[in-house]
């Protein structure tokens, strides 16, 4: 068993030893999604259903407001929550010669390479001072490892999970475009 630090050092050696490949763009990177993230998205709906079932079972003489309007309030909150997650869940990451395209279900963000401050590979629950007090447009969809793209604008930063993080980082190192960090 190796520690996480040794694991990161080994990954950094793999990424650093990548050969330079010019003209390989555009490249589309597959976004990964874990079962834990899907449960995280579905949990408010399950809680709402449980509340509705217990509310209707305990109130045999309940009024129309308790049976219909009260659960509808929660249902609207859950629908809003799911729609907001759909706005921030990335579906495709594409690297082109001069920019990145981060596609969500409703919008495609174009990030010019010269506006990127750094690209980082992070683990959840790790504090990072460079990404503190920044607004992230997208959310990672796994709880393992994810990529963070920090731009010059503190309101427009991106975090996402990929199926092959090492290939993504190797492509960025080989082109020498940005500062790459692994934590």
């Amino acid at each position: 068993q190796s520690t996480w630090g040794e694991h990161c050092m080994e990954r950094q050696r793999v990424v650093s030893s990548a050969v330079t490949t010019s003209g390989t763009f555009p490249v589309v990177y597959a976004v990964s999604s874990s079962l834990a993230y899907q449960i995280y998205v579905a949990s408010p709906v399950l809680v709402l259903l449980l509340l509705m079932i217990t509310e209707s079972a305990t109130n045999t003489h309940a009024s129309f407001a308790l049976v219909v309007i009260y659960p509808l309030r929660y249902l609207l909150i859950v629908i809003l929550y799911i729609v907001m997650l759909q706005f921030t869940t990335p579906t495709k990451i594409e690297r082109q010669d001069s920019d990145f395209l981060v596609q969500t279900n409703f919008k495609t963000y174009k990030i010019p390479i010269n506006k990127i401050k750094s690209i980082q590979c992070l683990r959840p629950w790790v504090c990072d001072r460079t990404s503190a007090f920044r607004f992230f447009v997208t959310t990672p969809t796994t709880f393992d490892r994810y990529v963070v793209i920090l731009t010059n604008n503190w309101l427009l930063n991106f975090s996402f999970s990929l199926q092959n993080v090492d290939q993504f980082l190797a492509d960025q190192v080989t082109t020498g475009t940005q500062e790459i960090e692994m934590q």
Side-chain angles (χ1 to χ4, degrees):
Q1 292 286 353
S2 63
T3 65
W4 174 245
E6 293 169 353
H7 178 71
C8 282
M9 295 293 283
E10 179 61 29
R11 298 258 187 214
Q12 185 65 37
R13 276 193 288 274
V14 169
V15 170
S16 299
S17 65
V19 295
T20 302
T21 56
S22 60
T24 58
F25 300 115
V27 176
V28 176
Y29 300 99
V31 176
S32 69
S33 180
S34 67
L35 178 63
Y37 179 76
Q38 294 167 3
I39 291 172
Y40 169 74
V41 171
S43 61
V45 175
L46 298 175
V47 169
L48 174 70
L49 289 175
L50 181 65
L51 285 173
M52 289 172 62
I53 290 169
T54 57
E55 185 69 31
S56 64
T58 57
N59 290 326
T60 55
H61 302 291
S63 67
F64 179 77
L66 277 177
V67 174
V68 177
I69 296 175
Y70 186 71
L72 277 179
R73 241 183 357 191
Y74 286 110
L75 184 62
L76 290 174
I77 291 171
V78 168
I79 289 172
L80 179 66
Y81 168 76
I82 291 173
V83 168
M84 285 175 35
L85 278 177
Q86 292 303 313
F87 270 108
T88 63
T89 303
T91 56
K92 182 174 80 169
I93 310 298
E94 184 176 348
R95 166 71 195 270
Q96 297 178 344
D97 288 327
S98 61
D99 50 30
F100 278 100
L101 296 177
V102 178
Q103 182 177 351
T104 64
N105 288 324
F106 299 105
K107 185 173 182 174
T108 300
Y109 297 94
K110 186 176 182 179
I111 314 164
I113 295 293
N114 58 357
K115 300 288 184 190
I116 294 176
K117 185 177 176 183
S118 71
I119 298 173
Q120 303 173 354
C121 176
L122 299 175
R123 286 186 64 86
W125 323 118
V126 174
C127 292
D128 180 32
R129 294 178 190 211
T130 59
S131 61
F133 304 111
R134 289 183 172 264
F135 179 74
F136 287 90
V137 178
T138 57
T139 58
T141 52
T142 62
F143 298 119
D144 180 28
R145 241 178 22 154
Y146 60 95
V147 176
V148 173
I149 296 180
L150 298 175
T151 63
N152 295 334
N153 185 349
W154 67 277
L155 288 173
L156 193 64
N157 299 288
F158 301 88
S159 60
F160 47 85
S161 303
L162 297 173
Q163 288 180 1
N164 194 347
V165 175
D166 296 329
Q167 180 62 43
F168 177 81
L169 294 174
D171 288 346
Q172 308 326 307
V173 169
T174 58
T175 57
T177 54
Q178 305 305 321
E179 173 187 346
I180 307 293
E181 299 175 20
M182 291 190 69
Q183 295 184 4

